[in-house]
Amino acid sequence: MAVMRYIVADVDASIGFYGLLGFTVEQQFGPAMAIVRRDDLTLWLAGPAASASRPMPDGRQPEPGGWNRFALTVEDLPATVEELRSKGVTFRNDIVTGPGGQQILAEDPSGNVVELFQPA
């Protein structure tokens, strides 16, 4: 089982987004944080009030976004993308085909990336 943490701007909006990807809420700590899970992946969604969002000793502030990501395998990537777009999900790119399959990068409401991947 893998556990990841994403810094998010809005915990409730993030719960809605990850629900579209098949995650279920295991715990929610008000607007500060939620724990969601899909299969063997547990994702901690840390909002602005979470301890993980506090400034570092050198002054750097944890923030959402970036390029690090986890990948979710899907059976029909074009259909998944079409469904998610109809529900308002934004993507950083179009579907890319490579030797291992196809992928696209979805953004959660805070700009964190989730790779959707269909093996060749």
Side-chain angles (χ1 to χ4, degrees):
M1 180 168 101
V3 177
M4 296 187 63
R5 181 192 302 267
Y6 268 172
I7 305 296
V8 299
D10 182 319
V11 172
D12 287 329
S14 297
I15 288 171
F17 171 81
Y18 287 100
L20 295 174
L21 297 177
F23 285 79
T24 57
V25 177
E26 288 198 338
Q27 282 185 289
Q28 185 171 358
F29 305 93
M33 184 178 163
I35 298 172
V36 297
R37 183 178 182 154
R38 176 183 158 167
D39 301 325
D40 287 338
L41 173 60
T42 300
L43 182 59
W44 298 352
L45 303 170
S51 59
S53 297
R54 293 180 186 154
M56 299 292 107
D58 67 1
R60 288 184 289 167
Q61 181 73 39
E63 61 185 36
W67 291 96
N68 293 321
R69 61 192 181 259
F70 59 88
L72 296 177
T73 302
V74 299
E75 291 184 22
D76 184 342
L77 187 59
T80 301
V81 169
E82 183 177 325
E83 178 184 351
L84 292 172
R85 277 199 172 118
S86 76
K87 294 179 179 177
V89 173
T90 59
F91 294 87
R92 287 194 179 177
N93 61 340
D94 293 320
I95 294 174
V96 175
T97 301
Q102 296 180 309
Q103 65 170 295
I104 193 168
L105 304 179
E107 287 189 333
D108 78 4
S110 299
N112 295 305
V113 181
V114 177
E115 179 178 318
L116 303 176
F117 178 76
Q118 180 180 338

